[in-house]
Amino acid sequence: MEMKISLSCLGLLLLGAATVFAQTPTPENLRSNACVGQTGCGGCIAAGPDCGWCTQDKWDEDGKDRCDVLDNLRGAGCDTGNIINPDNFVQFIKNNPPKNKDVSGPAVQLSPQELDITLRPNKPVNFQLTFRLAEDYPVDLYYLMDLSFSMKDDKDKLAELGNLIAARMSNITKNFQLGFGSFVDKVAMPYVSTVPDKLRSPCTGCAAPYGFKNQLSLTEQTEQFAGRVRAAPVSGNLDAPEGGFDAIMQAVACEEEIGWREQSRKMLVFSTDSSFHYAGDGKLGGIVTPNDGQCHLDPTGEYTHSTLLDYPSISQIRSKLAEKKVNVIFAVTQDQLQTYGTLSSLIEGSTAGKLDNDSANIVDLIQQNYDLISSKVEMYSEGAENISVKFRSACRGNITRETSVCDGLKIGESVTFDITLEATQCPTDPAKRKRSFSIYPVALNEKLMINVDLLCECDCEKPANEIVNAVKCNKNGTLECGKCTCNTGHYGKYCECDGSSQLSADYEASCRRGNDTDVCSGLGQCVCGVCYCNARQRGSSQKYSGSHCQCDDFSCDYFDKQLCGGSSRGQCRCGQCACNPAYNGTACQCPVSQDSCMASNGEICNGKGVCDCGKCKCNLDTKYRGPTCEDCPTCPGKCNDNRACIQCKVFNTGTLTKEECDQNCRDVDVVDEVFESDGVKMCQFWDVDDCQFFFTYGYTSGNQLQLKAQRTKVCRKPVNPLWIILGVIAGIVLVGLALLVIWKVLTTIHDRREFAKFEQEQGKAKWDTGENPIYKQAISTFKNPTYKGSN
């Protein structure tokens, strides 16, 4: 018995959950509903932006879900005043507009500065953020230089160009500070020689090696820069990499010692011709304590923990630069450009540029990279855990796209970002539902602080609005948001069931249908003797029905993509369509009326067929077809049938008299032009005036014949005899000329062939062309064959 009681209580906990899946295909209107199945108001409003909770009294008595899509709740009769559907709310706490520095205060580049947002999970909220590049915005530029011996000529050139750097930057902003620091490496083997003489002077004219030294704190007296650079001695070390990371960490971490201002664009120019040591390299010198990222400068500005702490890692450098909002310009020689280019890609707000061997181009390099950094704004979010932050902007163009970066900005120009926030879920820890995060432009101290309050609980769920031991809950539970939360030992919608009672078996018996062994037909939960039916599909608001959940009111046939043809035709009841009086059929698809089968002559299907389900089925032994069996493709057809009527009605011609026309012909719509289309056929005939007329015929929605005639006829244009005569003459002339040309071509070809033949015969002649071949001399000579001479 106790086991049965436990199972019944478990059934209550599972009440409303969708545990049974429909086997039939689910149409579009039965798709998963994220709202259904939520047991509390807080979970309901967090399930989706369209979910609402109905607090209406007795709302769930007939199995309806308190949490559902808003349209479903309203359609089912829940009063708007009883629907809880909180919205996002944005309140501007601090919203000073962008401005330049003036007597009222410092420059403002980012607006707004602080927001309070009440954010509902899974419902995005939008607001705008504006950034404007202010004039004369403070700039702090700290020049950090490698003063190993190989950089001696660079130091000398920098001393010469120091005043030019200050002059060039003053053209950009009037609020400018300049400082200078130098570095070599850790004073330990194998980085520098520890031979006593080498420790004092590692090279000719060199000072003792050191890790980092602040030579000149940031100051507006920029004329001091050249003198401090000139006075700073070079030193030397053994290995190729330098201790630049130590120097960067100290130059950034020691804000007061270096002189960084809180509101300024902080620029650090890192100049070297070598690569860098990083975390782990200190072990070579026996230095194993990790870098702590803190400031360790003595009163003279020298780094005191150089031989006590390891080099910083790239991650530490990146984190410290982002924390202190410092931009870095890596000014390096050609052979190191690729290395530092890769490094700059890992550090937000940094760039790398090629430095000439003697640093002669340092001024142009600083200005070019400053322009590159200052003309670009990139927005980041910090601390937005479990909150999606998306940026969209048109920047300086007209097309809005998803981006957090805009470049090409000029002084005084503004860009606007459309920001979308969305929380995908409620934190399980209530303390994390109220928190703050920031949105900031890279390497600038200004930021937008956003205080978020996640709506994970309805007001009606708060203790002040609960009714403990409410009468509606039979004094056995707490009423909150219209629903009873039962005390231990009680269950049921209104806590009416006593878990300690011995009646659980009787409860289950009353939930069985006849001899069925399944409780609630296996499609619901038995609670205190009453079946509460499951949803047909997980996440669906459609449930099984009936006293024992034996009915499925959503598995009937569909017509026109609607269950039982829609509410105007019928309703699905326990798997069968109950049609309204005007319709019948398995899906209420057939109208009872035969009006749709009525032919134009008043007969059903023109007497050539039968009306079945509102459509004519024409007899196969006839030639008539069409929606009302009036079309006959092999018969003269409607064209011939209506020809005479069109002639008399529209053009006052034809064989019909006026009386016959009025008596036998239907009205004709006269239009400017007729066209053939689906269901509309075109007819054309010649009229007595040798002109063509056109008309169409088709059928209305009530299967009535509809005639449309074209207002104007198309007549043959009369031909001008003069043009015929001229055409004949021109034809004769052209034919004669063509014959003459052909004759001339043929004779020319023949003459050429004969001449070629003559030349060929002449070339074959064997006689001398200088002597007449038929000429004979007058003297003939004969010789006596028997003559033997005078001896």
Side-chain angles (χ1 to χ4, degrees):
M1 184 66 69
E2 292 179 358
M3 179 66 71
K4 292 181 179 180
I5 293 174
S6 300
L7 290 174
S8 298
C9 293
L10 179 61
L12 174 64
L13 296 176
L14 295 175
L15 182 59
T19 57
V20 181
F21 296 92
Q23 302 298 318
T24 55
T26 305
E28 185 174 356
N29 61 343
L30 296 182
R31 286 182 178 173
S32 179
N33 182 345
C35 311
V36 173
Q38 301 296 331
T39 57
C41 183
C44 178
I45 62 174
D50 297 324
C51 295
W53 179 270
C54 181
T55 62
Q56 193 162 301
D57 190 29
K58 299 182 180 181
W59 175 258
D60 50 2
E61 278 190 347
D62 55 355
K64 290 182 289 190
D65 285 284
R66 289 192 177 275
C67 184
D68 204 341
V69 177
L70 295 172
D71 290 341
N72 292 348
L73 292 176
R74 297 189 190 103
C78 185
D79 187 73
T80 303
N82 292 323
I83 297 177
I84 297 178
N85 178 39
D87 202 356
N88 297 323
F89 178 72
V90 179
Q91 183 178 7
F92 290 83
I93 303 301
K94 189 176 181 181
N95 188 20
N96 296 327
K99 69 180 185 68
N100 298 324
K101 180 182 178 181
D102 54 24
V103 293
S104 64
V108 176
Q109 297 190 124
L110 194 68
S111 179
Q113 294 80 37
E114 186 175 1
L115 295 177
D116 281 353
I117 297 180
T118 303
L119 183 61
R120 178 174 172 177
N122 294 303
K123 187 169 186 178
V125 63
N126 300 289
F127 60 91
Q128 288 190 332
L129 177 68
T130 301
F131 178 85
R132 178 181 178 272
L133 203 58
E135 298 177 8
D136 292 328
Y137 195 78
V139 175
D140 293 340
L141 191 149
Y142 191 78
Y143 198 101
L144 185 57
M145 188 174 190
D146 173 8
L147 282 189
S148 58
F149 189 76
S150 59
M151 293 287 286
K152 184 178 184 303
D153 57 339
D154 299 80
K155 182 185 81 78
D156 297 338
K157 180 61 70 174
L158 180 62
E160 296 177 13
L161 299 175
N163 291 332
L164 184 57
I165 293 175
R168 189 73 65 87
M169 292 302 295
S170 65
N171 293 332
I172 298 174
T173 176
K174 297 175 182 178
N175 197 347
F176 173 64
Q177 288 192 150
L178 185 60
F180 174 65
S182 60
F183 65 91
V184 182
D185 211 337
K186 293 184 181 297
V187 186
M189 282 291 289
Y191 318 111
V192 300
S193 175
T194 56
V195 175
D197 290 342
K198 295 294 185 181
L199 283 176
R200 287 191 295 270
S201 180
C203 50
T204 304
C206 295
Y210 55 88
F212 162 73
K213 188 171 184 179
N214 176 30
Q215 306 283 357
L216 175 66
S217 298
L218 290 163
T219 177
E220 294 180 355
Q221 299 175 0
T222 56
E223 64 276 3
Q224 298 181 22
F225 181 81
R228 293 297 181 92
V229 173
R230 191 175 292 108
V234 296
S235 186
N237 61 331
L238 293 179
D239 61 348
E242 312 290 5
F245 272 17
D246 271 345
I248 292 176
M249 180 61 75
Q250 292 305 301
V252 175
C254 301
E255 292 182 282
E256 293 184 7
E257 291 79 357
I258 300 300
W260 298 111
R261 290 175 288 184
E262 182 178 355
Q263 187 177 30
S264 66
R265 185 179 290 277
K266 302 174 181 64
M267 310 289 295
L268 189 148
V269 180
F270 182 87
S271 175
T272 184
D273 61 352
S274 300
S275 60
F276 49 86
H277 283 296
Y278 51 88
D281 287 356
K283 294 180 180 179
L284 298 174
I287 304 171
V288 296
T289 305
N291 196 286
D292 61 4
Q294 302 300 316
C295 177
H296 300 287
L297 295 186
D298 63 15
T300 65
E302 191 164 337
Y303 181 32
T304 59
H305 284 50
S306 177
T307 57
L308 300 177
L309 300 177
D310 193 7
Y311 299 99
S313 66
I314 293 176
S315 177
Q316 284 179 299
I317 293 293
R318 181 180 184 274
S319 177
K320 185 62 69 172
L321 289 170
E323 176 190 347
K324 302 299 183 181
K325 311 299 183 187
V326 178
N327 295 107
V328 180
I329 299 174
F330 294 106
V332 296
T333 52
Q334 176 65 47
D335 59 324
Q336 298 298 325
L337 188 58
Q338 182 176 358
T339 299
Y340 284 91
T342 303
L343 178 62
S344 70
S345 67
L346 302 175
I347 300 175
E348 64 182 40
S350 66
T351 62
K354 177 186 173 185
L355 184 69
D356 289 347
N357 290 331
D358 60 352
S359 297
N361 69 328
I362 187 61
V363 178
D364 292 335
L365 186 61
I366 290 174
Q367 180 165 2
Q368 290 170 5
N369 284 273
Y370 174 82
D371 292 341
L372 182 64
I373 291 172
S374 63
S375 64
K376 175 182 175 181
V377 58
E378 183 173 5
M379 292 297 174
Y380 271 68
S381 62
E382 184 177 28
E385 181 183 357
N386 294 329
I387 296 179
S388 168
V389 183
K390 294 182 179 180
F391 300 89
R392 289 178 60 82
S393 178
C395 293
R396 300 171 65 240
N398 298 319
I399 300 176
T400 301
R401 57 190 176 88
E402 188 168 333
T403 182
S404 62
V405 181
C406 291
D407 51 21
L409 292 180
K410 297 178 181 178
I411 300 295
E413 284 189 334
S414 300
V415 291
T416 299
F417 290 92
D418 296 322
I419 300 178
T420 301
L421 305 182
E422 182 177 5
T424 55
Q425 60 184 2
C426 278
T428 54
D429 184 1
K432 293 184 178 180
R433 294 173 183 175
K434 282 188 177 183
R435 53 196 173 89
S436 299
F437 69 96
S438 62
I439 295 175
Y440 65 92
V442 171
L444 288 174
N445 273 334
E446 296 183 61
K447 63 183 177 181
L448 165 63
M449 182 60 64
I450 301 176
N451 307 310
V452 176
D453 183 6
L454 292 178
L455 283 173
C456 298
E457 185 181 34
C458 299
D459 289 339
C460 58
E461 291 178 304
K462 296 178 179 179
N465 297 318
E466 295 176 347
I467 302 177
V468 180
N469 295 327
V471 174
K472 182 179 177 181
C473 303
N474 292 290
K475 296 184 178 181
N476 294 319
T478 300
L479 181 65
E480 56 179 18
C481 302
K483 179 182 177 182
C484 288
T485 301
C486 300
N487 299 331
T488 303
H490 292 82
Y491 64 98
K493 282 196 174 183
Y494 303 107
C495 306
E496 70 274 21
C497 301
D498 186 353
S500 62
S501 172
Q502 302 298 311
L503 299 176
S504 295
D506 295 335
Y507 288 158
E508 290 188 3
S510 64
C511 290
R512 291 189 178 93
R513 185 185 181 203
N515 295 325
D516 196 346
T517 57
D518 290 330
V519 174
C520 299
S521 305
L523 301 174
Q525 308 297 329
C526 183
V527 180
C528 211
V530 178
C531 284
Y532 291 92
C533 303
N534 295 333
R536 297 178 66 249
Q537 183 183 10
R538 187 181 301 276
S540 173
S541 61
Q542 300 174 346
K543 298 183 177 182
Y544 294 100
S545 63
S547 59
H548 297 88
C549 303
Q550 73 276 15
C551 292
D552 184 351
D553 293 341
F554 301 95
S555 61
C556 297
D557 292 340
Y558 279 75
F559 173 71
D560 198 22
K561 298 182 180 180
Q562 296 188 71
L563 197 66
C564 297
S567 58
S568 63
R569 289 175 176 260
Q571 294 181 341
C572 183
R573 294 176 183 171
C574 212
Q576 299 291 328
C577 283
C579 301
N580 296 338
Y583 298 93
N584 57 26
T586 59
C588 303
Q589 75 275 21
C590 301
V592 174
S593 171
Q594 295 184 333
D595 291 345
S596 58
C597 296
M598 192 71 67
S600 58
N601 58 9
E603 294 187 70
I604 300 297
C605 298
N606 196 29
K608 303 294 192 296
V610 294
C611 186
D612 183 15
C613 197
K615 294 183 180 180
C616 284
K617 289 187 176 180
C618 304
N619 298 331
L620 297 178
D621 57 351
T622 68
K623 299 178 181 179
Y624 288 89
R625 299 292 181 266
T628 55
C629 304
E630 292 185 89
D631 290 341
C632 182
T634 58
C635 301
K638 296 296 181 184
C639 286
N640 281 330
D641 291 348
N642 294 283
R643 173 181 179 177
C645 286
I646 295 296
Q647 284 181 294
C648 73
K649 280 281 186 182
V650 181
F651 305 109
N652 295 322
T653 60
T655 59
L656 297 179
T657 64
K658 187 176 186 308
E659 291 75 14
E660 292 174 330
C661 186
D662 294 338
Q663 183 178 356
N664 299 322
C665 297
R666 66 177 63 241
D667 291 335
V668 179
D669 294 332
V670 181
V671 296
D672 293 334
E673 191 172 2
V674 292
F675 301 95
E676 190 170 36
S677 62
D678 292 340
V680 178
K681 296 183 179 180
M682 172 81 77
C683 305
Q684 60 183 38
F685 294 98
W686 291 100
D687 209 344
V688 292
D689 54 359
D690 205 24
C691 295
Q692 266 189 323
F693 62 93
F694 303 86
F695 67 94
T696 60
Y697 72 92
Y699 296 93
T700 63
S701 58
N703 287 327
Q704 296 297 316
L705 184 67
Q706 184 179 40
L707 298 174
K708 290 186 179 181
Q710 184 169 303
R711 181 175 286 105
T712 58
K713 301 179 184 179
V714 177
C715 302
R716 294 190 180 99
K717 295 182 180 179
V719 181
N720 192 337
L722 178 60
W723 289 110
I724 297 176
I725 296 172
L726 293 176
V728 172
I729 294 173
I732 294 172
V733 172
L734 290 175
V735 171
L737 290 174
L739 292 174
L740 287 174
V741 170
I742 294 171
W743 171 79
K744 181 61 178 177
V745 170
L746 292 175
T747 55
T748 301
I749 294 173
H750 180 266
D751 289 346
R752 287 183 178 179
R753 287 179 177 174
E754 290 298 323
F755 181 72
K757 185 177 180 181
F758 168 73
E759 288 184 331
Q760 185 180 11
E761 293 295 333
Q762 187 180 29
K764 293 179 180 180
K766 301 296 184 181
W767 39 269
D768 187 359
T769 56
E771 186 176 319
N772 192 340
I774 63 175
Y775 169 75
K776 293 183 178 181
Q777 293 185 357
I779 299 175
S780 300
T781 302
F782 298 93
K783 187 175 180 180
N784 187 354
T786 60
Y787 175 68
K788 297 182 179 179
S790 59
N791 295 327

